[in-house]
Amino acid sequence: AQTVTQSQPEMSVQEAETVTLSCTYDTSENNYYLFWYKQPPSRQMILVIRQEAYKQQNATENRFSVNFQKAAKSFSLKISDSQLGDTAMYFCAFMKPYTGNQFYFGTGTSLTVIP
Amino acid sequence: GAVVSQHPSWVICKSGTSVKIECRSLDFQATTMFWYRQFPKQSLMLMATSNEGSKATYEQGVEKDKFLINHASLTLSTLTVTSAHPEDSSFYICSARTEAFFGQGTRLTVV
């Protein structure tokens, strides 16, 4: 079974600063996908960024980037130039393709951006 | 882009009654949909995988007789919470196809 661990229940960052959220996972698979989701107070799940395990290059999406360390099974999210709208719960997720696309979510990190 | 619509967004029901939650894919066909449950300040827990035209696959520990899932068409999956009790109060979220498409969620409160 796949497990996803987020060891930081809560984090805060000053507006315009950079913050890194940690995520580790455990799997015996070689081909898989990793994701970071944002869940604002509205509870709508919003995809922030995805990473294919077979790609060595770290994914980036504007202010969001990941540090994917496959051997270490680590997948951290870096948010640069933090904005007030980034305040939300952030979930790391693992998906093994071709098995119905089931997701395994971490326990989440509550991020607060301080003005 | 593809959108998944979930209805209702919130519902309050009396203990012992049944509640139906709908999950629709608006501009694509979804042969598979997923139902999650989220307790306050907790992560999403997969409840079941809904398969169009066949029985749903339930995760271990999920009561299939309490959480009835029907996926009768390629655009609609429904989750019915039968004989609801206060402990069934939670936030229920559906998703479809791939990683980007989650419904808005349904907050169920059983009183």
Side-chain angles (χ1 to χ4, degrees):
Chain A
Q2 278 63 232
T3 58
V4 180
T5 302
Q6 293 178 249
S7 59
Q8 305 152 314
E10 296 181 355
M11 293 192 72
S12 61
V13 62
Q14 289 291 140
E15 193 175 6
E17 296 295 310
T18 296
V19 64
T20 299
L21 308 183
S22 300
C23 173
T24 58
Y25 58 95
D26 186 25
T27 185
S28 58
E29 301 292 328
N30 189 52
N31 183 29
Y32 49 88
Y33 295 84
L34 296 165
F35 308 87
W36 278 98
Y37 284 90
K38 171 184 178 181
Q39 189 180 42
S42 68
R43 311 276 310 254
Q44 173 74 57
M45 294 290 283
I46 301 168
L47 176 64
V48 175
I49 200 166
R50 63 175 275 173
Q51 173 82 43
E52 292 90 341
Y54 62 85
K55 289 187 177 179
Q56 292 186 340
Q57 186 174 5
N58 289 324
T60 62
E61 285 289 342
N62 301 314
R63 298 183 295 108
F64 300 89
S65 62
V66 298
N67 183 4
F68 174 47
Q69 301 291 327
K70 190 173 183 178
K73 297 179 182 177
S74 171
F75 183 61
S76 61
L77 174 70
K78 185 172 79 172
I79 306 175
S80 304
D81 186 25
S82 297
Q83 301 176 0
L84 297 179
D86 295 333
T87 293
M89 281 291 291
Y90 286 82
F91 292 100
C92 178
F94 172 101
M95 184 188 80
K96 186 173 61 172
Y98 313 119
T99 58
N101 290 346
Q102 292 181 1
F103 281 80
Y104 300 88
F105 287 90
T107 50
T109 297
S110 176
L111 176 67
T112 301
V113 179
I114 303 168
Chain B
V3 176
V4 174
S5 178
Q6 194 171 334
H7 178 82
S9 55
W10 61 272
V11 58
I12 301 174
C13 71
K14 290 185 177 181
S15 186
T17 62
S18 295
V19 175
K20 181 184 287 187
I21 302 170
E22 295 185 346
C23 181
R24 293 181 184 274
S25 56
L26 296 185
D27 56 1
F28 65 98
Q29 294 181 334
T31 55
T32 302
M33 291 186 177
F34 304 94
W35 288 96
Y36 296 86
R37 183 172 181 176
Q38 186 181 28
F39 289 105
K41 297 186 178 181
Q42 294 190 26
S43 187
L44 280 71
M45 298 300 295
L46 179 65
M47 298 176 64
T49 301
S50 171
N51 303 298
E52 188 270 333
S54 64
K55 291 182 178 180
T57 304
Y58 290 83
E59 294 298 298
Q60 189 173 7
V62 177
E63 299 177 59
K64 56 183 69 176
D65 293 333
K66 165 167 277 294
F67 299 101
L68 299 180
I69 291 174
N70 183 278
H71 196 155
S73 78
L74 288 171
T75 59
L76 175 64
S77 175
T78 61
L79 168 67
T80 301
V81 183
T82 63
S83 186
H85 288 98
E87 57 264 31
D88 298 324
S89 298
S90 190
F91 192 69
Y92 294 88
I93 306 175
C94 69
S95 72
R97 186 184 279 180
T98 59
E99 66 274 9
F101 311 129
F102 280 84
Q104 308 96 313
T106 297
R107 182 182 302 279
L108 170 63
T109 301
V110 184
V111 297

